[in-house]
Amino acid sequence: MRHVLSVSAAVLLVSALGGCGGGGGASQIAASPSGNDATAATATTSSGNDTRAAPLLSAAATSVSLYRVFSPQSFWYQPIPASAPLNPNSAAYTQNLVNQIKTYYNNVNLNTTSYAASVYFVRTQGGSNTVTWDNGTPVYPVAKTVNVGFNDCQEKGWTDPKLIAQWQNVPIPVGAKPASGTDSEMSIYDLSTQTLWDFWVMSQANGQWQACWGGRIQNTPQNAGIFPNPYGTTATGLPFIGGEISAEELAKGQIDHVMGISLVNAASWNVFSWPANRSDGYNPTNAPNQIPEGTRLRLDPSVNVDALNLTPVGRMIAKAAQTYGFVIWDKAGSVSLRMVNPNTYMLAGKSDPYPALFGGMPSWQVLQNFPWDKMQFMPNNYGKPN
């Protein structure tokens, strides 16, 4: 069935973020602070039980998305010119992508509750003592910080002191939850200090937050949107906050940044393209035309997206794919995109916004009829500064 974004559908999108509720996808897991361990002290914030409707767009809110935290020159925010040269292997890479999609479930999933990072915007200095909203994004006040411990889930047998130093004094809101799934991703962005933290396999044990890997970026407006190697949570060192798609963007009807995409198979770990600074690719048989992680790709700008039988969300993503494109930032069990995890909104007392934004469709079906065979791959290290 073809989905057309009518006035009633637009109202539905708005109500997904602004409506009352506390249900949705996953159940809440509250923080369990220990009063006897200073390093395990959990951050304080306002109650998440306020279910009053938050305005999608406030008259006092800024027009710039809170998610746009990196330098204005960051690759995340740069459109790809229609005349940009293509990778000489573009056609073969496109066929590889199509084959992966057909082989693994014959769809591209939009990850929401699992394998999609929760992103918590916090304010540690000034501002309100309760949750506020900026263009549909909740901002949590945090008065206390925590030291996040190291969990050696990969049995490396050693601890990186530089990583531990990055995990000191992290402002985690009370009741924050990582994503479901084995990766348990979480991001924290402090608007007061312009600092970003990403965590992988994030959990609480006896009230103490701990993670297996991640990193910190300070002074983000001066950063290109890339963690220094070997830090960060994705296999490429690219932060979640840059490439996840937010519910706010879907409600607005427009995505204004490069989107991250995960593949099942990629070129060997020692073959990657900027902006990636590393890779977890695996190609032991040296299969031809494997796509390097970090590669940029876009939807052919000559495609008439409005003429395609796409869902409203599929059309938004297609138009963004023509303008900004995707970057291959990780491997996964299927070809997939990451949405901002609904935990981000549910902590503020809202319901999971994605069932309404997806028009009641399952997440794997939202990108049905997407023209993956019309993708174009950019040259190796496309956009890399000289």
Side-chain angles (χ1 to χ4, degrees):
M1 175 180 179
R2 181 167 183 169
H3 295 256
V4 179
L5 185 58
S6 62
V7 173
S8 61
V11 172
L12 183 64
L13 297 183
V14 172
S15 65
L17 288 184
C20 301
S27 61
Q28 294 280 355
I29 300 176
S32 302
S34 170
N36 300 321
D37 185 352
T39 63
T42 307
T44 60
T45 184
S46 61
S47 169
N49 297 322
D50 180 6
T51 57
R52 293 173 296 174
L56 181 64
L57 294 175
S58 168
T62 62
S63 59
V64 178
S65 168
L66 292 187
Y67 294 88
R68 192 172 280 246
V69 302
F70 300 117
S71 165
Q73 286 73 47
S74 170
F75 80 94
W76 288 113
Y77 316 131
Q78 307 309 312
I80 300 174
S83 60
L86 301 181
N87 192 303
N89 215 26
S90 179
Y93 283 168
T94 299
Q95 188 59 55
N96 179 299
L97 173 65
V98 170
N99 290 344
Q100 288 195 47
I101 294 170
K102 290 181 178 179
T103 300
Y104 298 96
Y105 309 105
N106 202 30
N107 63 69
V108 174
N109 192 52
L110 300 181
N111 297 349
T112 58
T113 58
S114 301
Y115 305 102
S118 307
V119 180
Y120 295 105
F121 288 90
V122 305
R123 197 178 298 279
T124 56
Q125 301 170 15
S128 174
N129 292 324
T130 61
V131 177
T132 56
W133 294 80
D134 190 319
N135 285 351
T137 306
V139 178
Y140 299 94
V142 174
K144 295 181 180 180
T145 60
V146 304
N147 297 334
V148 176
F150 177 69
N151 169 25
D152 189 14
C153 71
Q154 295 178 310
E155 299 182 349
K156 297 176 180 177
W158 57 277
T159 302
D160 183 345
K162 293 182 179 180
L163 180 65
I164 297 304
Q166 295 176 49
W167 287 355
Q168 304 302 294
N169 303 314
V170 184
I172 303 177
V174 168
K177 292 177 54 180
S180 300
T182 55
D183 285 348
S184 304
E185 309 100 319
M186 180 189 286
S187 294
I188 303 289
Y189 186 76
D190 185 357
L191 293 163
S192 301
T193 63
Q194 298 180 321
T195 303
L196 172 70
W197 291 266
D198 271 7
F199 299 99
W200 181 61
V201 191
M202 183 71 152
S203 65
Q204 278 190 305
N206 299 319
Q208 167 72 52
W209 282 105
Q210 59 182 14
C212 188
W213 201 251
R216 179 188 66 187
I217 297 177
Q218 296 174 300
N219 194 19
T220 57
Q222 302 301 316
N223 187 277
I226 308 168
F227 277 99
N229 191 13
Y231 303 109
T233 298
T234 64
T236 52
L238 300 179
F240 294 123
I241 203 170
E244 288 195 334
I245 301 169
S246 71
E248 299 92 301
E249 291 171 318
L250 298 188
K252 183 179 68 173
Q254 186 171 327
I255 301 165
D256 295 323
H257 60 84
V258 176
M259 300 166 286
I261 187 170
S262 300
L263 304 185
V264 181
N265 301 312
S268 180
W269 64 271
N270 58 349
V271 179
F272 52 89
S273 176
W274 189 89
N277 57 29
R278 60 186 188 269
S279 168
D280 66 346
Y282 186 63
N283 185 20
T285 63
N286 292 318
N289 302 319
Q290 294 300 298
I291 308 167
E293 292 186 6
T295 300
R296 298 279 302 277
L297 59 154
R298 70 171 179 199
L299 178 61
D300 183 344
S302 70
V303 171
N304 183 357
V305 170
D306 289 324
L308 301 178
N309 184 20
L310 299 174
T311 67
V313 170
R315 187 169 294 109
M316 291 178 216
I317 293 175
K319 290 185 175 182
Q322 287 184 311
T323 303
Y324 296 95
F326 301 99
V327 61
I328 299 169
W329 63 353
D330 230 336
K331 284 177 56 182
S334 64
V335 180
S336 54
L337 310 182
R338 288 180 170 108
M339 315 301 292
V340 171
N341 195 293
N343 291 337
T344 302
Y345 316 101
M346 294 169 66
L347 181 58
K350 307 307 172 186
S351 58
D352 181 344
Y354 294 110
L357 290 167
F358 293 170
M361 302 180 72
S363 58
W364 57 265
Q365 198 173 9
V366 176
L367 291 182
Q368 63 185 353
N369 302 321
F370 195 94
W372 295 108
D373 61 332
K374 302 298 183 183
M375 299 303 296
Q376 297 177 334
F377 284 76
M378 312 314 293
N380 192 53
N381 295 323
Y382 175 79
K384 184 176 181 179
N386 296 326

